[in-house]
Amino acid sequence: MAGKAIEKRPEVDPRDEPSAEWGWHGSFPKATRIAGWVSVVILLLMLKGNHENNTENVWLIGLAAFLALLLVLDFRKRRTAWRK
């Protein structure tokens, strides 16, 4: 009885992205998360400034909160990924 060889298919179609054939094709998950938290801190540091009214503050806090929410949801998704 001949052994059945399982063909391993690439995750990315080389016709869509030619670099998948010859090299690493991935992402930087840890660096992306660190950059996200640094962006949240920078947005909150921008609150100290010469603002005439609070419109700028609302946008800065809103964007920082939205980005932090996305990062927390990503952390939660990574933590429970092994259960699926």
Coordinates of all heavy atoms in Angstrom, one line a residue:
M1 N 0.8 -1.2 0.0 CA 0.0 0.0 0.0 C 0.9 1.2 0.0 O 1.8 1.4 0.8 CB -0.9 0.0 1.2 CG -1.9 1.1 1.3 SD -3.0 0.7 2.6 CE -3.4 2.4 3.1
A2 N 0.7 2.1 -0.9 CA 1.5 3.3 -1.1 C 1.1 4.3 0.0 O -0.1 4.4 0.3 CB 1.3 3.9 -2.5
G3 N 2.1 5.0 0.5 CA 1.8 6.0 1.5 C 1.1 7.2 0.8 O 1.4 7.6 -0.3
K4 N 0.2 7.8 1.5 CA -0.5 9.0 1.0 C 0.3 10.2 1.4 O 0.4 10.5 2.6 CB -1.9 9.0 1.5 CG -2.8 7.9 1.0 CD -4.2 8.0 1.4 CE -5.0 6.9 0.9 NZ -6.4 7.0 1.4
A5 N 0.8 10.9 0.5 CA 1.5 12.2 0.8 C 0.5 13.3 0.8 O -0.3 13.5 -0.1 CB 2.6 12.4 -0.2
I6 N 0.5 14.0 1.9 CA -0.3 15.2 2.0 C 0.4 16.4 1.5 O 1.5 16.8 1.9 CB -0.7 15.4 3.5 CG1 -1.4 14.2 4.1 CG2 -1.5 16.7 3.6 CD1 -1.7 14.3 5.5
E7 N -0.3 17.0 0.5 CA 0.3 18.2 -0.1 C 0.0 19.4 0.7 O -1.1 19.7 1.1 CB -0.3 18.4 -1.5 CG 0.2 19.6 -2.2 CD -0.5 19.8 -3.6 OE1 -1.0 18.8 -4.1 OE2 -0.4 20.9 -4.1
K8 N 1.1 20.1 1.1 CA 0.9 21.3 1.9 C 0.8 22.5 1.0 O 1.6 22.8 0.2 CB 2.2 21.5 2.8 CG 2.0 22.6 3.8 CD 3.2 22.7 4.7 CE 3.0 23.9 5.6 NZ 4.1 24.0 6.6
R9 N -0.4 23.1 1.1 CA -0.7 24.2 0.3 C -0.3 25.5 1.0 O -0.5 25.6 2.2 CB -2.2 24.3 0.0 CG -2.6 23.0 -0.8 CD -4.0 23.1 -1.2 NE -4.1 24.1 -2.2 CZ -5.2 24.5 -2.8 NH1 -6.4 24.1 -2.3 NH2 -5.2 25.4 -3.7
P10 N 0.3 26.5 0.2 CA 0.7 27.7 0.9 C -0.6 28.5 1.3 O -1.6 28.4 0.7 CB 1.4 28.5 -0.2 CG 1.0 27.8 -1.5 CD 0.6 26.4 -1.2
E11 N -0.5 29.3 2.4 CA -1.6 30.1 2.8 C -1.9 31.2 1.9 O -3.0 31.7 1.8 CB -1.3 30.6 4.2 CG -1.2 29.6 5.3 CD -0.8 30.1 6.6 OE1 -1.0 31.3 6.8 OE2 -0.4 29.4 7.5
V12 N -0.9 31.7 1.2 CA -1.1 32.8 0.3 C -0.9 32.3 -1.1 O 0.1 31.6 -1.4 CB -0.1 34.0 0.6 CG1 -0.2 35.1 -0.3 CG2 -0.2 34.4 2.1
D13 N -1.8 32.7 -2.0 CA -1.6 32.3 -3.4 C -0.5 33.1 -4.0 O -0.5 34.3 -4.1 CB -2.9 32.6 -4.1 CG -2.9 32.0 -5.5 OD1 -2.0 31.3 -5.9 OD2 -3.9 32.3 -6.3
P14 N 0.5 32.4 -4.6 CA 1.7 33.1 -5.2 C 1.3 34.0 -6.4 O 2.0 34.9 -6.7 CB 2.6 32.0 -5.6 CG 2.2 30.8 -4.9 CD 0.7 31.0 -4.6
R15 N 0.2 33.7 -7.0 CA -0.3 34.6 -8.1 C -0.7 36.0 -7.6 O -0.6 37.0 -8.2 CB -1.4 34.0 -8.9 CG -0.9 32.7 -9.7 CD -2.0 32.1 -10.3 NE -2.8 31.4 -9.2 CZ -3.9 30.7 -9.4 NH1 -4.4 30.5 -10.6 NH2 -4.5 30.1 -8.4
D16 N -1.3 36.0 -6.3 CA -1.7 37.2 -5.7 C -0.5 38.0 -5.2 O -0.5 39.2 -5.3 CB -2.7 37.0 -4.6 CG -4.0 36.4 -5.2 OD1 -4.3 36.6 -6.4 OD2 -4.7 35.7 -4.4
E17 N 0.4 37.3 -4.5 CA 1.5 38.0 -3.9 C 2.8 37.1 -4.2 O 3.1 36.2 -3.6 CB 1.3 38.1 -2.4 CG 0.1 38.9 -2.1 CD -0.1 39.1 -0.6 OE1 0.9 39.1 0.1 OE2 -1.3 39.2 -0.2
P18 N 3.5 37.6 -5.3 CA 4.7 36.8 -5.7 C 5.8 36.6 -4.6 O 6.5 35.6 -4.7 CB 5.2 37.6 -6.9 CG 4.1 38.5 -7.3 CD 3.3 38.7 -6.1
S19 N 5.9 37.4 -3.7 CA 6.9 37.3 -2.7 C 6.7 36.1 -1.8 O 7.6 35.6 -1.1 CB 7.0 38.5 -1.8 OG 5.8 38.7 -1.1
A20 N 5.5 35.5 -1.8 CA 5.3 34.3 -1.0 C 6.1 33.1 -1.5 O 6.4 32.2 -0.7 CB 3.8 34.0 -1.0
E21 N 6.5 33.1 -2.7 CA 7.2 32.0 -3.3 C 8.7 31.9 -2.8 O 9.3 30.9 -2.5 CB 7.2 32.0 -4.8 CG 5.9 31.7 -5.4 CD 6.0 31.8 -6.9 OE1 7.0 32.4 -7.5 OE2 5.2 31.2 -7.6
W22 N 9.3 33.1 -2.6 CA 10.7 33.1 -2.3 C 11.1 33.6 -1.0 O 12.3 33.6 -0.6 CB 11.4 34.0 -3.4 CG 10.8 35.4 -3.5 CD1 9.9 35.8 -4.4 CD2 11.1 36.5 -2.7 NE1 9.6 37.1 -4.2 CE2 10.4 37.6 -3.2 CE3 11.9 36.8 -1.6 CZ2 10.4 38.9 -2.6 CZ3 12.0 38.1 -1.1 CH2 11.2 39.1 -1.6
G23 N 10.2 34.0 -0.2 CA 10.6 34.6 1.1 C 9.5 34.6 2.2 O 8.4 34.1 2.0
W24 N 9.9 35.1 3.3 CA 9.0 35.2 4.4 C 7.8 36.1 4.0 O 8.0 37.2 3.5 CB 9.8 35.8 5.6 CG 8.9 35.9 6.8 CD1 8.5 35.0 7.6 CD2 8.4 37.2 7.3 NE1 7.8 35.5 8.6 CE2 7.7 36.8 8.4 CE3 8.5 38.5 6.9 CZ2 7.0 37.8 9.2 CZ3 7.8 39.4 7.6 CH2 7.1 39.1 8.8
H25 N 6.7 35.7 4.4 CA 5.5 36.5 4.1 C 4.6 36.4 5.4 O 3.9 35.5 5.6 CB 4.7 35.9 2.9 CG 3.6 36.7 2.4 ND1 3.9 37.8 1.6 CD2 2.3 36.7 2.7 CE1 2.7 38.4 1.4 NE2 1.8 37.7 2.0
G26 N 4.7 37.4 6.2 CA 4.0 37.4 7.5 C 3.7 38.8 8.0 O 3.7 39.8 7.2
S27 N 3.6 38.9 9.3 CA 3.3 40.2 9.9 C 4.2 40.3 11.1 O 4.9 39.4 11.5 CB 1.8 40.3 10.2 OG 1.5 39.3 11.2
F28 N 4.1 41.5 11.7 CA 4.9 41.8 12.9 C 3.9 42.0 14.1 O 3.6 43.1 14.5 CB 5.7 43.0 12.7 CG 6.7 42.9 11.6 CD1 6.5 43.5 10.4 CD2 7.9 42.3 11.8 CE1 7.4 43.4 9.4 CE2 8.8 42.2 10.8 CZ 8.6 42.7 9.6
P29 N 3.3 40.9 14.6 CA 2.2 41.1 15.6 C 2.7 41.8 16.9 O 2.0 42.7 17.4 CB 1.7 39.7 15.9 CG 2.8 38.8 15.4 CD 3.5 39.5 14.4
K30 N 3.9 41.5 17.4 CA 4.3 42.1 18.6 C 4.6 43.6 18.4 O 4.3 44.4 19.2 CB 5.5 41.3 19.2 CG 5.9 41.8 20.5 CD 7.0 40.9 21.1 CE 7.4 41.3 22.5 NZ 8.5 40.4 23.0
A31 N 5.3 43.9 17.3 CA 5.7 45.3 17.0 C 4.4 46.1 16.7 O 4.4 47.3 17.1 CB 6.6 45.3 15.9
T32 N 3.4 45.5 16.1 CA 2.2 46.2 15.8 C 1.5 46.6 17.1 O 0.9 47.7 17.3 CB 1.3 45.3 15.0 OG1 2.0 45.0 13.8 CG2 0.0 46.1 14.6
R33 N 1.4 45.7 18.1 CA 0.8 45.9 19.4 C 1.5 47.0 20.1 O 0.9 47.9 20.8 CB 0.6 44.7 20.2 CG -0.3 43.7 19.6 CD -0.5 42.4 20.3 NE -1.2 41.5 19.5 CZ -0.6 40.5 18.9 NH1 0.7 40.2 19.0 NH2 -1.3 39.6 18.1
I34 N 2.8 46.9 20.1 CA 3.6 47.9 20.8 C 3.4 49.3 20.2 O 3.2 50.3 20.9 CB 5.1 47.6 20.8 CG1 5.4 46.3 21.7 CG2 6.0 48.7 21.3 CD1 6.7 45.7 21.6
A35 N 3.4 49.4 18.9 CA 3.2 50.6 18.2 C 1.8 51.2 18.5 O 1.6 52.4 18.6 CB 3.3 50.5 16.7
G36 N 0.8 50.3 18.6 CA -0.6 50.7 19.0 C -0.6 51.4 20.3 O -1.2 52.4 20.5
W37 N 0.0 50.8 21.3 CA 0.0 51.3 22.7 C 0.8 52.6 22.7 O 0.5 53.6 23.4 CB 0.5 50.3 23.7 CG -0.5 49.3 24.0 CD1 -0.4 48.0 23.7 CD2 -1.8 49.5 24.6 NE1 -1.5 47.3 24.1 CE2 -2.4 48.2 24.7 CE3 -2.4 50.5 25.1 CZ2 -3.7 48.0 25.2 CZ3 -3.7 50.4 25.7 CH2 -4.3 49.1 25.7
V38 N 1.9 52.7 22.0 CA 2.7 54.0 21.9 C 1.8 55.1 21.3 O 1.8 56.2 21.7 CB 4.0 53.7 21.1 CG1 4.7 55.1 20.8 CG2 4.9 52.9 21.9
S39 N 1.0 54.7 20.3 CA 0.1 55.7 19.7 C -0.9 56.2 20.6 O -1.3 57.4 20.7 CB -0.6 55.1 18.4 OG 0.4 54.7 17.5
V40 N -1.4 55.3 21.5 CA -2.4 55.7 22.5 C -1.8 56.7 23.4 O -2.4 57.7 23.8 CB -3.0 54.5 23.2 CG1 -3.8 54.9 24.5 CG2 -3.8 53.6 22.3
V41 N -0.6 56.4 23.9 CA 0.1 57.3 24.8 C 0.4 58.7 24.2 O 0.2 59.7 24.8 CB 1.4 56.7 25.3 CG1 2.3 57.7 26.1 CG2 1.1 55.4 26.2
I42 N 0.8 58.7 22.9 CA 1.1 59.9 22.2 C -0.2 60.7 22.1 O -0.2 62.0 22.2 CB 1.8 59.6 20.9 CG1 3.2 59.1 21.1 CG2 1.8 60.9 20.0 CD1 3.9 58.6 19.8
L43 N -1.3 60.1 21.7 CA -2.5 60.8 21.6 C -2.9 61.4 22.9 O -3.4 62.6 22.9 CB -3.6 59.9 21.1 CG -3.6 59.5 19.6 CD1 -4.6 58.4 19.3 CD2 -3.9 60.7 18.8
L44 N -2.7 60.7 24.0 CA -3.1 61.3 25.3 C -2.1 62.4 25.7 O -2.5 63.3 26.4 CB -3.2 60.2 26.3 CG -4.3 59.2 26.1 CD1 -4.2 58.1 27.1 CD2 -5.7 59.9 26.2
L45 N -0.9 62.3 25.3 CA 0.1 63.4 25.6 C -0.2 64.7 24.9 O 0.1 65.8 25.3 CB 1.5 62.9 25.3 CG 2.1 61.9 26.3 CD1 3.5 61.4 25.8 CD2 2.2 62.5 27.7
M46 N -0.9 64.5 23.7 CA -1.3 65.7 23.0 C -2.4 66.5 23.6 O -2.7 67.6 23.2 CB -1.7 65.3 21.6 CG -0.6 65.0 20.6 SD -1.2 64.9 19.0 CE -0.6 63.3 18.5
L47 N -2.9 66.0 24.7 CA -4.0 66.8 25.4 C -3.4 68.1 26.0 O -4.1 69.1 26.2 CB -4.6 65.9 26.5 CG -5.5 64.8 26.0 CD1 -6.0 63.9 27.2 CD2 -6.7 65.4 25.3
K48 N -2.1 68.0 26.4 CA -1.5 69.2 26.9 C -1.0 70.0 25.8 O -0.1 69.7 25.0 CB -0.3 68.8 27.8 CG 0.4 69.9 28.5 CD 1.3 69.5 29.6 CE 2.1 70.6 30.2 NZ 1.3 71.6 30.9
G49 N -1.7 71.1 25.6 CA -1.3 72.0 24.5 C -2.1 73.3 24.6 O -2.7 73.6 25.6
N50 N -2.0 74.1 23.5 CA -2.7 75.4 23.5 C -4.0 75.3 22.8 O -4.2 76.0 21.8 CB -1.7 76.4 22.8 CG -1.4 76.0 21.4 OD1 -1.7 74.9 21.0 ND2 -0.7 76.9 20.7
H51 N -4.9 74.5 23.3 CA -6.2 74.4 22.7 C -7.1 75.5 23.2 O -7.2 75.9 24.4 CB -6.8 73.0 23.1 CG -6.0 71.8 22.7 ND1 -6.1 70.6 23.4 CD2 -5.1 71.7 21.7 CE1 -5.3 69.8 22.8 NE2 -4.6 70.4 21.8
E52 N -7.9 76.0 22.3 CA -8.8 77.1 22.6 C -10.1 76.5 23.2 O -10.7 77.2 24.1 CB -9.2 77.9 21.3 CG -8.0 78.6 20.7 CD -7.6 79.8 21.6 OE1 -8.5 80.4 22.2 OE2 -6.4 80.1 21.6
N53 N -10.6 75.4 22.7 CA -11.8 74.8 23.3 C -11.5 73.3 23.4 O -10.4 72.8 23.2 CB -13.0 75.1 22.4 CG -12.8 74.6 21.0 OD1 -11.9 73.8 20.7 ND2 -13.6 75.2 20.1
N54 N -12.5 72.5 23.8 CA -12.3 71.1 24.0 C -12.6 70.2 22.9 O -12.6 69.0 23.0 CB -13.2 70.7 25.2 CG -12.6 71.2 26.5 OD1 -11.4 71.4 26.6 ND2 -13.5 71.4 27.5
T55 N -12.9 70.8 21.7 CA -13.2 69.9 20.5 C -12.0 69.0 20.2 O -12.2 67.8 19.9 CB -13.5 70.8 19.3 OG1 -14.6 71.6 19.6 CG2 -13.9 69.9 18.1
E56 N -10.8 69.6 20.3 CA -9.6 68.8 20.0 C -9.4 67.7 21.0 O -9.0 66.5 20.7 CB -8.3 69.6 20.0 CG -8.3 70.7 18.8 CD -8.9 72.0 19.3 OE1 -9.5 72.1 20.4 OE2 -8.8 72.9 18.5
N57 N -9.7 68.0 22.3 CA -9.6 67.1 23.4 C -10.5 65.9 23.2 O -10.2 64.7 23.5 CB -9.8 67.7 24.7 CG -8.7 68.7 25.0 OD1 -7.7 68.7 24.5 ND2 -9.0 69.6 26.0
V58 N -11.8 66.2 22.8 CA -12.7 65.1 22.6 C -12.2 64.1 21.5 O -12.3 62.9 21.6 CB -14.1 65.7 22.2 CG1 -15.1 64.6 21.7 CG2 -14.7 66.5 23.4
W59 N -11.7 64.7 20.4 CA -11.2 63.8 19.3 C -10.0 63.0 19.8 O -9.9 61.8 19.5 CB -10.8 64.7 18.1 CG -12.0 64.9 17.2 CD1 -12.8 66.1 17.2 CD2 -12.6 64.1 16.3 NE1 -13.8 65.9 16.3 CE2 -13.7 64.7 15.7 CE3 -12.3 62.8 15.8 CZ2 -14.5 64.1 14.7 CZ3 -13.1 62.2 14.8 CH2 -14.1 62.9 14.3
L60 N -9.1 63.6 20.5 CA -7.9 62.9 21.0 C -8.3 61.8 21.9 O -7.8 60.7 21.8 CB -6.9 63.9 21.6 CG -6.2 64.9 20.7 CD1 -5.5 65.9 21.5 CD2 -5.3 64.1 19.8
I61 N -9.2 62.1 22.9 CA -9.6 61.1 23.8 C -10.4 60.0 23.1 O -10.2 58.8 23.4 CB -10.4 61.7 25.0 CG1 -9.4 62.6 25.8 CG2 -11.0 60.6 25.8 CD1 -10.2 63.4 26.8
G62 N -11.2 60.4 22.2 CA -12.0 59.4 21.5 C -11.2 58.4 20.6 O -11.4 57.2 20.6
L63 N -10.2 59.0 19.9 CA -9.4 58.1 19.1 C -8.5 57.2 19.9 O -8.3 56.1 19.6 CB -8.5 59.0 18.2 CG -9.2 59.7 17.0 CD1 -8.3 60.7 16.3 CD2 -9.8 58.7 16.1
A64 N -8.0 57.8 21.1 CA -7.1 57.0 21.9 C -8.0 55.8 22.6 O -7.5 54.7 22.7 CB -6.5 57.8 23.0
A65 N -9.2 56.1 23.0 CA -10.1 55.1 23.6 C -10.4 54.0 22.5 O -10.4 52.8 22.8 CB -11.3 55.7 24.1
F66 N -10.7 54.4 21.3 CA -11.0 53.5 20.2 C -9.8 52.6 19.9 O -10.0 51.4 19.8 CB -11.5 54.2 19.0 CG -11.8 53.3 17.8 CD1 -12.9 52.5 17.9 CD2 -11.0 53.3 16.7 CE1 -13.2 51.7 16.8 CE2 -11.3 52.5 15.7 CZ -12.4 51.7 15.7
L67 N -8.7 53.2 19.8 CA -7.5 52.4 19.6 C -7.2 51.4 20.7 O -6.8 50.3 20.5 CB -6.3 53.3 19.3 CG -5.0 52.7 18.8 CD1 -5.2 51.9 17.6 CD2 -4.0 53.8 18.6
A68 N -7.3 51.9 22.0 CA -7.1 51.0 23.1 C -8.1 49.9 23.2 O -7.8 48.8 23.5 CB -7.2 51.9 24.4
L69 N -9.4 50.2 22.8 CA -10.4 49.1 22.7 C -10.0 48.1 21.7 O -10.2 46.9 22.0 CB -11.8 49.7 22.4 CG -12.9 48.8 22.2 CD1 -13.3 48.1 23.5 CD2 -14.1 49.4 21.5
L70 N -9.6 48.5 20.6 CA -9.1 47.5 19.5 C -8.0 46.7 20.0 O -7.9 45.4 19.8 CB -8.8 48.2 18.3 CG -9.9 48.9 17.5 CD1 -9.3 49.6 16.2 CD2 -10.9 47.8 17.0
L71 N -7.0 47.3 20.8 CA -5.9 46.5 21.3 C -6.3 45.5 22.4 O -5.8 44.4 22.4 CB -4.8 47.5 21.8 CG -4.1 48.3 20.7 CD1 -3.3 49.4 21.3 CD2 -3.2 47.4 20.0
V72 N -7.3 45.9 23.2 CA -7.8 45.0 24.3 C -8.5 43.9 23.6 O -8.4 42.7 24.1 CB -8.6 45.8 25.3 CG1 -9.4 44.9 26.2 CG2 -7.7 46.8 26.1
L73 N -9.4 44.2 22.6 CA -10.1 43.1 21.9 C -9.1 42.1 21.3 O -9.3 40.9 21.2 CB -11.1 43.7 20.9 CG -12.3 44.4 21.5 CD1 -13.1 45.0 20.4 CD2 -13.1 43.4 22.4
D74 N -8.0 42.6 20.7 CA -7.0 41.8 20.1 C -6.3 40.9 21.1 O -6.1 39.7 20.9 CB -6.0 42.7 19.3 CG -4.9 41.8 18.7 OD1 -5.2 40.9 17.9 OD2 -3.7 42.0 19.1
F75 N -6.0 41.5 22.3 CA -5.4 40.7 23.3 C -6.4 39.6 23.8 O -5.9 38.5 24.0 CB -5.1 41.6 24.5 CG -4.6 40.9 25.7 CD1 -3.3 40.4 25.7 CD2 -5.4 40.7 26.8 CE1 -2.8 39.7 26.8 CE2 -4.9 40.0 27.9 CZ -3.6 39.5 27.9
R76 N -7.6 39.9 23.9 CA -8.6 38.9 24.4 C -8.8 37.8 23.3 O -8.9 36.6 23.6 CB -10.0 39.6 24.6 CG -11.0 38.7 25.2 CD -12.2 39.4 25.6 NE -13.1 38.4 26.2 CZ -14.4 38.5 26.0 NH1 -15.0 39.5 25.3 NH2 -15.2 37.6 26.5
K77 N -8.8 38.2 22.0 CA -8.9 37.2 21.0 C -7.7 36.3 20.9 O -7.8 35.1 20.7 CB -9.0 37.9 19.6 CG -9.2 37.0 18.4 CD -9.4 37.7 17.1 CE -8.1 38.2 16.7 NZ -8.1 38.7 15.3
R78 N -6.5 36.8 21.1 CA -5.3 36.0 21.2 C -5.3 35.0 22.3 O -4.8 33.9 22.3 CB -4.0 36.9 21.2 CG -3.6 37.4 19.9 CD -2.2 38.1 20.1 NE -2.3 39.2 21.1 CZ -1.5 39.3 22.2 NH1 -0.7 38.3 22.4 NH2 -1.6 40.3 23.0
R79 N -5.8 35.5 23.5 CA -5.8 34.7 24.7 C -6.7 33.5 24.6 O -6.4 32.5 25.2 CB -6.2 35.6 25.9 CG -5.7 35.0 27.2 CD -6.2 35.9 28.4 NE -7.5 35.5 28.7 CZ -8.4 36.2 29.2 NH1 -8.2 37.5 29.5 NH2 -9.6 35.8 29.5
T80 N -7.8 33.7 23.9 CA -8.8 32.6 23.8 C -8.8 31.9 22.5 O -9.6 31.1 22.2 CB -10.2 33.2 24.1 OG1 -10.5 34.1 23.1 CG2 -10.4 33.8 25.4
A81 N -7.8 32.1 21.7 CA -7.7 31.5 20.4 C -7.5 30.0 20.5 O -7.9 29.2 19.6 CB -6.6 32.1 19.5
W82 N -6.8 29.5 21.5 CA -6.6 28.1 21.6 C -7.8 27.3 21.9 O -7.8 26.1 21.7 CB -5.5 27.8 22.7 CG -5.9 28.2 24.0 CD1 -5.8 29.5 24.6 CD2 -6.6 27.4 25.0 NE1 -6.3 29.5 25.9 CE2 -6.8 28.2 26.1 CE3 -7.0 26.1 25.1 CZ2 -7.4 27.8 27.3 CZ3 -7.6 25.6 26.2 CH2 -7.8 26.5 27.3
R83 N -8.9 27.9 22.4 CA -10.1 27.2 22.7 C -11.0 26.8 21.5 O -11.8 26.0 21.6 CB -10.9 28.1 23.7 CG -10.3 28.3 25.0 CD -11.2 29.2 25.8 NE -10.4 29.7 27.0 CZ -10.9 30.6 27.8 NH1 -12.1 31.0 27.7 NH2 -10.1 31.0 28.8
K84 N -10.7 27.4 20.4 CA -11.6 27.2 19.2 C -11.1 26.0 18.4 O -10.1 25.5 18.5 CB -11.6 28.4 18.3 CG -12.2 29.6 19.0 CD -12.2 30.8 18.1 CE -12.9 31.9 18.9 NZ -13.0 33.1 18.2

